[in-house]
Amino acid sequence: MYQPAIDLDAVTAIDMHVHIEVDDHGHASLPEPLVAAVSKYFRTDGPRPAVDAVARYYRERQMAAVVFTVDAGTQLRHPPLSSAEIARAAAEHADVLIPFGSVDPRTGAAALDLAARLIEQEGVRGFKFHPTVQGFDPGHEAYAPLWALIERAGLPAIFHTGQTGIGAGLPGGYGLRLGLSNPMLLDPVAADFPDLQIVMAHPSVPWQDEALSVATHKPNTWIDLSGWSPKYLPAALVRHANSVLRHRVLFGTDYPLLTPDRWLRDVAATDLRPEVLPGILKDNAARLLGLGPHRREESP
């Protein structure tokens, strides 16, 4: 069972958004047409490392990383990677890796059972959801029992928001619906489950103002800066990260599609203030994840 062993003094950053896209058996998390389409969208055809390689990569950089897959078996009709296997592999690298689980919300009671097992038996430290790829509206009442379960466990949940490269350019976008990732759909979740810590992943283009509205109104919501080079971050997001949301903005890359090396290089070209970067890079995530002496109550 995973038990975190991260020395916060020894790491320079915590990457909140790292995908495990292939397992040790060579099985990919997405069907081949989607793998090709997302590689074209991000203009990358680099390798898709498994857990051990991801651990080595982040250890070399003195960083920690939150790792996960997305279980979209119903929508994609493709067997997902095993979150249990990811958690067990991460346990071998607990000095740098933090496993999140993923369940398919559309499987109903089975999703609840799997989520409970991932928490109780595997020790996952949170959950990842992608409403567009999984094909569900997170604000629908059918999914309330799942959010309640995660809330009771005291774990955070990351939700993809905004545009996605998955399915981009394919006929009909592979049937995937962008509107399901409008961050405003997370507002009722944050309202009904005030102790559930919700991370809105990525700049939420074209709904950045909606994400900022939710984040400034609901103190149990956070924003991660993954998926975009920092030099392309919307100006409104940068202003909020420098001010009212500085304690709830998180470093993330979307590795392997965007590397931490590039993110850190490009952040120098932004208007993010040097005094907010330590919080964004590490301290905010440590507080959210309950690592070390940090406490969520410290956020204003």
Side-chain angles (χ1 to χ4, degrees), residues 207-271:
W207 304 294
Q208 188 59 67
D209 287 344
E210 282 91 334
L212 294 172
S213 176
V214 173
T216 53
H217 191 259
K218 302 293 193 296
N220 57 321
T221 58
W222 309 61
I223 293 175
D224 86 32
L225 302 180
S226 65
W228 291 49
S229 162
K231 65 184 180 181
Y232 299 124
L233 295 178
L237 177 55
V238 173
R239 286 197 303 272
H240 282 71
N242 278 333
S243 55
V244 294
L245 295 181
R246 65 191 182 278
H247 296 296
R248 286 186 283 123
V249 172
L250 305 159
F251 166 56
T253 63
D254 225 7
Y255 183 80
L257 298 173
L258 182 71
T259 68
D261 295 343
R262 181 182 178 191
W263 198 102
L264 292 172
R265 181 180 70 243
D266 289 356
V267 78
T270 74
D271 290 328

Side-chain angles (χ1 to χ4, degrees), residues 142-197:
Y143 309 112
L146 180 56
W147 313 145
L149 184 154
I150 298 172
E151 181 185 49
R152 288 194 301 272
L155 298 179
I158 299 174
F159 291 83
H160 172 94
T161 65
Q163 169 77 1
T164 181
I166 300 175
L170 296 178
Y174 210 75
L176 304 180
R177 298 171 183 258
L178 296 177
L180 294 173
S181 290
N182 186 325
M184 196 57 72
L185 298 180
L186 294 170
D187 184 65
V189 182
D192 292 343
F193 302 95
D195 291 325
L196 175 63
Q197 303 302 312

Side-chain angles (χ1 to χ4, degrees), residues 282-300:
K282 181 172 71 171
D283 297 341
N284 295 345
R287 193 172 68 254
L288 170 65
L289 296 167
L291 301 174
H294 301 268
R295 304 189 329 161
R296 291 184 193 134
E297 292 81 359
E298 293 172 359
S299 293

